[in-house]
Amino acid sequence: MRIEPAAAGAGREGGAEAGSVRDAGGGAVREGSVKRNALRKRRRWERVLAARRSRRAQERQRSRARRRAGTQPTRSGTPAQERLLVARAAGPRLCVDLGMASCMTEKETSRLASQIRRLYGANRRAEKPFWLCLTEFAVGSLIYRECVRMNDGFSNYLMDTTPESYLDLFPLDAIVYLTPDSENVLEDIDPNKVYVLGGLVDESIHKKLTLQRAQEQSLQTARLPIREYMVKAANAKNYHSETLAINQVFEVLSTYYETRSWPAALKAGVSSGKGYVLPDAVK
């Protein structure tokens, strides 16, 4: 499945801006072109948000009308599919950044494909799912082949896949890159934001790779509030890590989005093997 038309349109018009930001050093004319492209991308994103709000209002009106009439909506798919399509229209969006494939071995890439399967399955089961997008996901690449090989029905997953970067699809100020090395704490989930997870399984530990990537792209960053709500548990190896697999991060985000409780969310996604527990578990 390709990126949805509204977002793809934004990417085509915004591609020059993303390129100029990364290449830097253009002349005055190029800078003016960057600003115009950024403005067009921002206006298109605002139209997307306005359309979402309109669809939400229309759906509320239809729901009230059905309740008054005592009828139920006609279902064109399974409840899970319907929830996913609502997320596609109303957000929030979650991108898995697959632009760091060169940093992984074949074994690590296979593990990442497995994590993508778990993430998609959890999202499909969620009462309030995100709309998912795999970016820099090129047909024929190793991660593409592993996703198809390891995940039955992958081609039918209800999500977007695109070889483009999230930088070409969304305004920079709408993107929040989630990395455990950020100094900023994620306090809430905004349906109008696009949250990005680094698609990286790193057994050799490239420290702060996702943070460095986000900073080079001038993006907002945030980390999960693990140290704000959890404490370090005593263990034989004195091991404590805030680095989670992408499916574990998603479990935290999804649970929080449904419950609005960080303790409940962190309990769901942060395994005891990471060396962190909720304070009441220490007693």
Side-chain angles (χ1 to χ4, degrees):
M1 182 180 292
R2 298 290 293 174
I3 200 75
E4 61 180 292
R12 286 191 293 273
E13 295 192 355
E17 184 228 357
S20 59
V21 169
R22 291 192 294 271
D23 296 340
V29 175
R30 184 173 176 79
E31 183 178 351
S33 176
V34 168
K35 291 180 179 178
R36 286 194 297 273
N37 285 334
L39 181 59
R40 282 196 292 268
K41 188 186 293 186
R42 164 50 53 191
R43 288 174 175 170
R44 185 176 292 274
W45 182 244
E46 289 173 349
R47 289 197 293 271
V48 170
L49 296 181
R52 288 186 196 171
R53 288 191 289 268
S54 176
R55 284 192 290 266
R56 290 174 189 160
Q58 291 173 2
E59 181 56 33
R60 285 195 295 269
Q61 292 174 353
R62 286 194 292 267
S63 296
R64 286 194 291 267
R66 285 194 295 264
R67 286 195 296 270
R68 287 195 295 267
T71 60
Q72 295 296 323
T74 301
R75 296 188 179 274
S76 57
T78 66
Q81 290 172 333
E82 291 181 353
R83 291 195 298 269
L84 289 171
L85 292 175
V86 169
R88 182 178 191 176
R93 276 167 163 67
L94 184 78
C95 291
V96 179
D97 170 20
L98 298 174
M100 293 175 284
S102 62
C103 298
M104 292 186 293
T105 65
E106 185 171 347
K107 177 183 176 182
E108 291 168 341
T109 302
S110 296
R111 288 182 57 192
L112 178 60
S114 178
Q115 291 174 13
I116 289 173
R117 181 185 68 246
R118 295 191 188 105
L119 191 160
Y120 179 79
N123 192 52
R124 195 173 185 278
R125 293 188 298 272
E127 288 299 320
K128 295 175 64 177
F130 287 63
W131 182 250
L132 303 180
C133 179
L134 306 184
T135 58
E136 297 192 48
F137 185 71
V139 174
S141 64
L142 178 58
I143 182 60
Y144 174 88
R145 296 197 303 270
E146 287 301 290
C147 282
V148 172
R149 181 181 71 84
M150 298 181 63
N151 305 336
D152 291 340
F154 178 80
S155 60
N156 296 320
Y157 279 13
L158 199 53
M159 64 180 179
D160 286 328
T161 62
T162 175
E164 295 181 275
S165 167
Y166 44 84
L167 297 174
D168 300 324
L169 301 173
F170 309 105
L172 293 184
D173 58 2
I175 299 171
V176 179
Y177 206 115
L178 299 179
T179 167
D181 299 308
S182 176
E183 295 180 355
N184 308 313
V185 179
L186 182 66
E187 297 180 351
D188 201 359
I189 294 174
D190 183 350
N192 296 326
K193 294 291 188 181
V194 179
Y195 296 95
V196 178
L197 299 181
L200 182 67
V201 172
D202 182 16
E203 296 180 346
S204 57
I205 311 299
H206 291 287
K207 292 185 177 180
K208 299 187 177 180
L209 184 60
T210 52
L211 177 63
Q212 180 182 351
R213 181 171 171 82
Q215 289 175 336
E216 289 174 350
Q217 296 170 344
S218 301
L219 298 175
Q220 304 173 64
T221 64
R223 61 173 174 80
L224 297 178
I226 293 176
R227 67 190 74 156
E228 282 71 27
Y229 289 90
M230 307 186 85
V231 296
K232 293 181 178 180
N235 59 72
K237 297 182 179 180
N238 193 31
Y239 174 77
H240 304 91
S241 175
E242 297 180 44
T243 301
L244 310 179
I246 59 169
N247 57 295
Q248 293 174 321
V249 175
F250 177 76
E251 198 71 50
V252 175
L253 297 176
S254 178
T255 303
Y256 175 78
Y257 193 47
E258 289 186 17
T259 66
R260 317 308 288 188
S261 167
W262 281 119
L266 294 167
K267 182 178 180 180
V270 181
S271 67
S272 58
K274 291 296 179 179
Y276 284 90
V277 295
L278 294 173
D280 57 7
V282 179
K283 299 175 183 178

